[in-house]
Amino acid sequence: MIRTIEDILNALKDTDKTRISVAAAQDKTVLKAVYEAYCRNIADFILVGDEDKIKDALAELGIDKDNFEIINVEGGLQEQAEKAVELVSVGEAQVLMKGLLDTSILLKALLKKEYGLRTGRTMSITGIFESPYYHKLFMITDPAINIKPDLLQKKQIIENAVEFSENIGIENPKVAVLCAKENVDEKMPETIDARELVAMNRSGEIQNCIIDGPLAFDNVISKEAAIHKGIESDVAGDVDIILVPDLVCGNSLYKSLAYLSEVKMAGVLLGAKVPVIITSRADSKESKLNSIALAAMAGQKFKSYKGV
């Protein structure tokens, strides 16, 4: 059972390595993480972009270029992104990774109809956290893509995270709909959405998970806090997935945990037919490695993918 991020890293040791297509790979920060993942037998990589710049960056880092397949792309970053996406679409790779280009450029290529990687579902980031103050891994979604998701988008964001949970061995995850209070308040639309999402779950419209809300953060994490407030919930104190109400809340919570607590973390973009790794320059080397491992584990599902 997956209980820690190290469990994810260890689980990949005895599997056939996932292949990851890196768009605009001429980025030393990304290449450092790629090389460590390669050395730890987590994944193989296809480096797509400006071949001369990629080789120069590898040389500066003291990394042997022969460890990787390098594909030169004439043209700019959009062409490099499309080539990386194309490799995934034809089954040459199972995971897509962002290199030295804006996220918007990569997503524009990813969502082109001809590549067949769209699901019709809302795209969302899911971050996974391991804290010494909590008894298992938990996820936060969506802290980075959707500014103020409506009810349908929230439903799809939950479905992304639930499917992802299953891909990394967490079955029937417990989902908390995060709000500022535990009661439905007509003046707070987030609490109304929480009520509707719970109803969708109980009616079978949202499946393979247990949803509860509205719940404030203390009740999400602490069973004792929930009991103290008289809240009866199978999710409180045992959450797997925290759905945040909007980007401001999610981004603040995500970065607060990253900078002010002793967490290990990773993140992946969901909603396409394959996982996408979108690391930030501000992410630690460990977080980048963890994100690669997390996506590689989920990418095992796509080993035989040849485009749909």
Side-chain angles (χ1 to χ4, degrees), residues 180-252:
K181 61 189 300 184
E182 299 79 29
N183 300 316
V184 176
D185 185 335
E186 297 297 325
K187 295 180 181 179
M188 299 180 71
E190 298 83 3
T191 65
I192 298 172
D193 284 352
R195 179 184 63 193
E196 295 303 314
L197 291 166
V198 170
M200 289 180 185
N201 180 231
R202 292 177 178 172
S203 70
E205 187 174 347
I206 304 176
Q207 300 182 348
N208 303 319
C209 62
I210 301 170
I211 301 177
D212 199 7
L215 290 170
F217 188 74
D218 54 348
N219 308 312
V220 169
I221 294 297
S222 170
K223 190 71 174 178
E224 290 73 18
I227 292 172
H228 182 71
K229 290 188 176 181
I231 297 169
E232 295 183 7
S233 170
D234 291 330
V235 174
D238 196 37
V239 70
D240 296 295
I241 300 168
I242 301 172
L243 174 74
V244 297
D246 56 40
L247 188 145
V248 173
C249 173
N251 194 263
S252 299

Side-chain angles (χ1 to χ4, degrees), residues 81-298:
E82 292 193 15
K83 182 60 180 180
V85 170
E86 179 190 341
L87 291 171
V88 176
S89 75
V90 298
E92 291 296 318
Q94 296 81 41
V95 173
L96 181 65
M97 183 173 182
K98 173 190 167 187
L100 190 63
L101 76 172
D102 289 341
T103 300
S104 60
I105 295 175
L106 187 63
L107 295 185
K108 181 180 178 181
L110 178 69
L111 295 175
K112 283 197 169 184
K113 288 184 178 180
E114 56 261 41
Y115 295 123
L117 294 173
R118 299 196 300 187
T119 63
R121 193 181 290 171
T122 298
M123 305 283 282
S124 57
I125 292 281
T126 291
I128 190 164
F129 294 83
E130 178 187 336
S131 169
Y133 308 109
Y134 196 66
H135 61 283
K136 62 179 178 178
L137 295 173
F138 65 93
M139 303 178 198
I140 295 174
T141 191
D142 165 37
I145 299 293
N146 297 281
I147 297 173
K148 202 165 185 65
D150 60 22
L151 181 62
L152 175 59
Q153 289 173 315
K154 288 178 180 178
K155 172 181 179 288
Q156 294 176 345
I157 290 167
I158 289 174
E159 290 170 337
N160 287 343
V162 169
E163 181 180 333
F164 178 70
S165 297
E166 294 170 347
N167 291 341
I168 64 170
I170 301 173
E171 297 182 358
N172 203 35
K174 297 179 179 180
V175 182
V177 184
L178 185 66
C179 296
K181 61 189 300 184
E182 299 79 29
N183 300 316
V184 176
D185 185 335
E186 297 297 325
K187 295 180 181 179
M188 299 180 71
E190 298 83 3
T191 65
I192 298 172
D193 284 352
R195 179 184 63 193
E196 295 303 314
L197 291 166
V198 170
M200 289 180 185
N201 180 231
R202 292 177 178 172
S203 70
E205 187 174 347
I206 304 176
Q207 300 182 348
N208 303 319
C209 62
I210 301 170
I211 301 177
D212 199 7
L215 290 170
F217 188 74
D218 54 348
N219 308 312
V220 169
I221 294 297
S222 170
K223 190 71 174 178
E224 290 73 18
I227 292 172
H228 182 71
K229 290 188 176 181
I231 297 169
E232 295 183 7
S233 170
D234 291 330
V235 174
D238 196 37
V239 70
D240 296 295
I241 300 168
I242 301 172
L243 174 74
V244 297
D246 56 40
L247 188 145
V248 173
C249 173
N251 194 263
S252 299
L253 177 57
Y254 190 101
K255 290 181 178 177
S256 295
L257 289 169
Y259 283 94
L260 296 176
S261 66
E262 303 171 38
V263 297
K264 295 179 180 179
M265 57 186 289
V268 63
L269 177 68
L270 306 173
K273 290 182 179 176
V274 295
V276 183
I277 305 164
I278 299 180
T279 57
S280 166
R281 286 184 179 274
D283 288 342
S284 69
K285 180 181 176 182
E286 180 185 46
S287 293
K288 288 183 173 71
L289 175 66
N290 294 341
S291 295
I292 291 171
L294 190 65
M297 188 172 190

Side-chain angles (χ1 to χ4, degrees), residues 58-103:
L58 289 171
E60 289 178 29
L61 294 170
I63 300 172
D64 186 348
K65 66 181 185 305
D66 293 333
N67 290 325
F68 308 106
E69 180 181 353
I70 301 174
I71 296 180
N72 185 54
V73 176
E74 301 291 341
L77 295 177
Q78 189 64 52
E79 288 77 16
Q80 294 174 24
E82 292 193 15
K83 182 60 180 180
V85 170
E86 179 190 341
L87 291 171
V88 176
S89 75
V90 298
E92 291 296 318
Q94 296 81 41
V95 173
L96 181 65
M97 183 173 182
K98 173 190 167 187
L100 190 63
L101 76 172
D102 289 341
T103 300

